[in-house]
Amino acid sequence: MNHDQEWTQPEPLWREDTTIDSFDSLNENLSTDVLIVGGGITGITTAYLLAKSGKQVTLIEADELVNGTTGHTTAKVTAQHGLIYDEFQNHFGVDDASLYYQAQMSALAFMEELVEKHSIDCDWVKEDAHLFATTKQGALKLEKEYKAYMNLDIPGELTDTLPFDMDATKALSMKNQARFHPVKYLAAVVKELKNLGCDIYEHTKATDVTEGDRIEVTTGNNCTITCDQLVSCSHFPFYDGKGFYFSRMYAERSYLMAIEPEKEIPSGMYVSIDEPKRTVRTAEYEGKPILLVGGESHKTGEGVDTSFHYRAIEEFAAETFGIKKKLFQWSAQDLTTLDKVPYIGPITRRNQRVFIATGFRKWGMTNGTLAAQLIADYVVGETSLFHDLFKPSRFKTDPSMKQFLSQSFDVATHLIDGKLEIVGERPERLRTGEGKVIQWEGKRAGAYKDQEGKVYMVDTTCTHMGCEVEWNSAEHSWDCPCHGSRFSYDGSVMEGPADKPLVDLSEQLLPLSEHKHEGQEDQLEESE
Ligand code: FES
């Protein structure tokens, strides 16, 4: 393999070969029955279901449709969400663990029906999903998980080998799962939405919510949308509604790459359960089978130099499959709830007009579709077998309190450690394309030098609740370790809960170049 070969595309595979209809931004006030905020799989599917039920639906997206988490997925459509069924039947009981599986499979069945009904050409392939272990302890965990499968009537099989070059100690399959091309699928659903008369606006960011007789949502360009019911499908809820979601979830980043392998491509979808975690699935590109290989999850804003993670995956792919050609690489951010079950339903116990869907972990294709089904039922007043299990106001002390305390401790640590950190770098020493935490006039600041040599400097204090952001060298972003907010190198918000940009300190750099001519460089050298 040629390690020096450049990636042909530093972008997700999914948008490369597929276009999706584009829409204007909103530039007038309007009124609608249901407003859906977020144009990923959850928002688009919710809009489809509600428009079909006869509701007047408006969907707005802050960026472009399917350009957020849905556009960065591995696109596995499966109920095998890691090692969860043994844990769920212990914590929640057999009935709820079984309901979780049934809910995911109902989402898979809905998607399959939609593909058939509208003859959607989206590379839909039914395949088994597999967990695999490479250690003895991992093998024991898979044996326990298999017992849970048998107890919950989940079709699966425990084996000792994998169909690719890897020493596995055990592998556990889940039968009849699927994979697909998410953008091809959603491009077709968006066309159906247009036929159903749904209003869609891109580049329209919801910024404020006022709840009165009706709900008023203000957009970034000062338009107002008045609605009877509001659905937040914006990954991190754009509106908290006193639900304190930032304290009830944590964000993780993970990395994925598409390669043309040298070795034969195995069928099936694979996730390892031992560290370092790895995920593998096949896909199609330009009529040929290719492999998606990923992993390296870490909490947002934590961990080593982020470009290390791509290198680690590349090494794994080269050793296991050989790399004939490197095609794409991209990363994703996922949110995990306190008990690993998504929050889907009314935003608080008393508020039955605003609904949220979030916390899908890495399993947004089935969870996002399920969320659309459950929220559509809420909106039209129907009950679902699955509502109680997923409603955000559920309260399970175990394991959620343990997770809550651990998350709160993490936040407190970042708040304190970030402020005390001593940093000594200076902006004039940055290399092109490099970002760093620096010391600027005795305070912590973040600086980045772009390809043209322009330096951007921001205050690294997160505008959400004051933790200190860290530089993400792979994505050129400032990431907050407390609740997962992400900011571009210039400080603009890429991902909430923060809704305000980092304070821009770039103007303060001007005196630096002027002062440098007056010998400031020498003074700075002395103060090192
Ligand atoms: Fe909450 Fe940064 S995201 S403090």
Side-chain angles (χ1 to χ4, degrees):
M1 170 205 142
N2 177 9
H3 282 272
D4 297 328
Q5 181 194 339
E6 286 301 315
W7 290 94
T8 55
Q9 295 290 337
E11 292 293 333
L13 156 71
W14 311 121
R15 290 191 70 102
E16 165 68 11
D17 55 354
T18 310
T19 52
I20 193 161
D21 289 344
S22 57
F23 299 87
D24 292 337
S25 60
L26 180 68
N27 55 16
E28 60 184 3
N29 298 339
L30 60 81
S31 171
T32 186
D33 289 348
V34 186
L35 174 64
I36 295 168
V37 178
I41 191 167
T42 313
I44 290 171
T45 313
T46 307
Y48 170 79
L49 289 170
L50 288 174
K52 264 178 57 99
S53 77
K55 290 279 181 188
Q56 181 192 19
V57 179
T58 301
L59 185 152
I60 61 172
E61 161 59 47
D63 185 28
E64 292 172 4
L65 296 179
V66 201
N67 206 22
T69 306
T70 301
H72 291 73
T73 172
T74 53
K76 293 174 179 172
V77 187
T78 177
Q80 191 182 56
H81 296 177
L83 283 175
I84 52 163
Y85 290 101
D86 181 54
E87 180 183 329
F88 280 5
Q89 66 172 7
N90 288 332
H91 290 307
F92 308 138
V94 171
D95 289 348
D96 278 358
S98 178
L99 269 183
Y100 185 90
Y101 171 74
Q102 291 172 43
Q104 306 301 325
M105 291 306 286
S106 83
L108 187 153
F110 170 85
M111 294 170 77
E112 191 166 27
E113 269 175 44
L114 207 62
V115 169
E116 279 172 15
K117 183 174 171 190
H118 296 295
S119 305
I120 302 175
D121 179 9
C122 62
D123 309 333
W124 180 272
V125 177
K126 287 299 278 292
E127 278 186 341
D128 294 347
H130 308 259
L131 299 174
F132 67 91
T134 49
T135 64
K136 275 189 192 158
Q137 293 93 325
L140 293 174
K141 287 181 191 166
L142 283 183
E143 282 169 6
K144 272 173 85 181
E145 187 75 355
Y146 179 52
K147 280 191 190 144
Y149 279 25
M150 289 195 292
N151 199 29
L152 299 169
D153 285 330
I154 299 174
E157 191 180 355
L158 198 61
T159 57
D160 295 324
T161 54
L162 287 172
F164 52 87
D165 197 5
M166 180 134 210
D167 286 334
T169 49
K170 279 280 179 247
L172 172 61
S173 66
M174 183 181 280
K175 303 295 179 190
N176 295 319
Q177 308 301 294
R179 61 177 170 84
F180 75 143
H181 189 305
V183 179
K184 287 183 182 174
Y185 171 84
L186 290 169
V189 182
V190 167
K191 290 209 185 299
E192 289 302 318
L193 271 185
K194 281 165 75 175
N195 294 338
L196 290 164
C198 175
D199 286 328
I200 303 175
Y201 299 94
E202 291 179 304
H203 306 289
T204 301
K205 185 176 165 69
T207 55
D208 206 6
V209 176
T210 309
E211 295 192 58
D213 288 344
R214 298 186 80 205
I215 302 167
E216 287 186 358
V217 176
T218 312
T219 66
N221 50 353
N222 275 328
C223 295
T224 301
I225 304 173
T226 309
C227 59
D228 298 317
Q229 285 153 309
L230 171 64
V231 187
S232 165
C233 306
S234 57
H235 193 43
F236 197 96
F238 80 97
Y239 171 58
D240 194 70
K242 300 199 176 89
F244 299 102
Y245 287 95
F246 62 85
S247 66
R248 299 165 60 194
M249 292 191 287
Y250 63 89
E252 282 190 319
R253 297 200 66 72
S254 55
Y255 304 83
L256 198 61
M257 50 186 58
I259 59 162
E260 196 181 324
E262 283 168 348
K263 296 182 188 170
E264 202 176 319
I265 291 185
S267 67
M269 303 173 281
Y270 301 86
V271 177
S272 67
I273 63 161
D274 293 308
E275 294 296 335
K277 294 266 188 339
R278 295 290 179 250
T279 177
V280 176
R281 63 154 276 194
T282 47
E284 284 77 36
Y285 178 59
E286 295 182 338
K288 278 193 284 191
I290 59 167
L291 265 189
L292 307 188
V293 185
E296 292 288 308
S297 299
H298 62 85
K299 272 193 166 181
T300 300
E302 289 186 356
V304 296
D305 178 352
T306 42
S307 52
F308 164 87
H309 299 295
Y310 283 124
R311 286 200 298 277
I313 293 170
E314 190 176 333
E315 291 293 340
F316 167 76
E319 274 168 28
T320 314
F321 304 104
I323 299 179
K324 196 185 285 179
K325 189 169 184 198
K326 301 191 268 187
L327 299 168
F328 302 87
Q329 64 177 18
W330 66 97
S331 68
Q333 178 143 314
D334 296 294
L335 296 165
T336 299
T337 66
L338 298 176
D339 59 6
K340 298 186 186 164
V341 176
Y343 299 135
I344 303 169
I347 195 161
T348 58
R349 204 181 299 272
R350 288 199 181 82
N351 189 334
Q352 299 295 315
R353 297 187 302 172
V354 181
F355 303 94
I356 64 146
T358 189
F360 299 160
R361 295 167 71 216
K362 298 180 192 319
W363 310 103
M365 299 301 100
T366 51
N367 273 324
T369 304
L370 172 70
Q373 294 173 296
L374 299 192
I375 288 175
D377 284 342
Y378 276 117
V379 169
V380 299
E382 285 183 12
T383 51
S384 160
L385 184 63
F386 307 123
H387 273 166
D388 281 352
L389 176 60
F390 292 90
K391 72 181 175 202
S393 57
R394 67 183 178 265
F395 187 70
K396 313 263 188 206
T397 52
D398 186 10
S400 56
M401 282 315 288
K402 196 169 129 214
Q403 279 287 350
F404 176 77
L405 291 173
S406 145
Q407 166 69 1
S408 301
F409 180 75
D410 272 7
V411 170
T413 305
H414 285 298
L415 267 165
I416 295 163
D417 284 0
K419 311 288 180 208
L420 295 180
E421 187 184 9
I422 295 167
V423 285
E425 295 288 341
R426 301 202 310 268
E428 66 271 23
R429 294 204 168 161
L430 289 172
R431 293 190 301 270
T432 302
E434 187 180 34
K436 263 187 181 161
V437 172
I438 61 162
Q439 187 163 16
W440 181 254
E441 297 187 341
K443 291 203 190 115
R444 193 181 194 273
Y448 168 72
K449 186 189 270 188
D450 73 9
Q451 296 300 329
E452 276 75 51
K454 179 173 177 193
V455 177
Y456 297 80
M457 191 165 73
V458 293
D459 185 332
T460 52
T461 306
C462 177
T463 54
H464 176 230
M465 290 178 72
C467 289
E468 295 296 318
V469 297
E470 298 291 341
W471 180 243
N472 174 340
S473 58
E475 318 299 326
H476 288 181
S477 60
W478 295 104
D479 297 354
C480 182
C482 285
H483 312 109
S485 289
R486 297 182 65 227
F487 305 85
S488 178
Y489 57 82
D490 62 0
S492 53
V493 177
M494 296 168 71
E495 193 138 4
D499 56 8
K500 292 188 184 60
L502 297 174
V503 173
D504 186 1
L505 303 176
S506 300
E507 291 212 336
Q508 296 186 18
L509 287 169
L510 204 56
L512 169 75
S513 48
E514 287 166 5
H515 292 171
K516 261 169 60 179
H517 296 301
E518 296 161 14
Q520 186 179 2
E521 177 73 25
D522 295 338
Q523 286 170 20
L524 288 168
E525 292 290 350
E526 280 166 20
S527 67
E528 265 188 334

